[in-house]
Amino acid sequence: MADIAKLVEELSKLTVLEAAELAKALEEAWGVSAAAAVAVAAGPAAGGDAPAAEEQTEFDVILTGDGGKKIQVIKEVRAITGLGLTEAKTLVESAPKALKEGVSKAEAEEVKKKIEEAGGTVELK
């Protein structure tokens, strides 16, 4: 247990940027998402001498347009959201509209990439 306490103490000294780099390295090494670890590691670091800006941990993926490739974007929206054809079509036609809300940065980036590859435009908030 003493080793764990020492490790926690050392991790608490990391800056937000260092914690993010650590999380990315662990994610690559172990093939897992470390979004929760970044939030935990960033918390104590923010309580240091100078107030640090909190790193955003939840994102909303907003579809802003179909880029003229409506059918491809509808197919991708269906795959991402699990919506039926009619619901996905309505969502795409009513852009800007939220595709996913309160997701991790990694998931938001993945959704953005898929929609942009299909020809659509996406904004992360």
Side-chain angles (χ1 to χ4, degrees), residues 40-104:
V40 170
D49 297 353
E54 273 193 45
E55 186 173 337
Q56 185 174 349
T57 58
E58 290 188 349
F59 294 84
D60 294 340
V61 182
I62 311 296
L63 176 69
T64 56
D66 63 23
K69 299 191 176 190
K70 187 172 167 181
I71 293 172
Q72 292 91 326
V73 174
I74 290 172
K75 286 180 183 179
E76 206 54 57
V77 167
R78 288 187 70 200
I80 292 167
T81 62
L83 293 173
L85 179 60
T86 305
E87 293 86 359
K89 180 179 180 278
T90 302
L91 189 147
V92 170
E93 290 174 342
S94 62
K97 198 78 168 175
L99 284 179
K100 293 266 187 171
E101 296 178 325
V103 296
S104 69

Side-chain angles (χ1 to χ4, degrees), residues 94-116:
S94 62
K97 198 78 168 175
L99 284 179
K100 293 266 187 171
E101 296 178 325
V103 296
S104 69
K105 184 175 183 176
E107 184 177 354
E109 291 291 339
E110 182 180 329
V111 170
K112 180 180 180 183
K113 180 181 175 190
K114 288 180 180 180
I115 294 294
E116 288 177 344

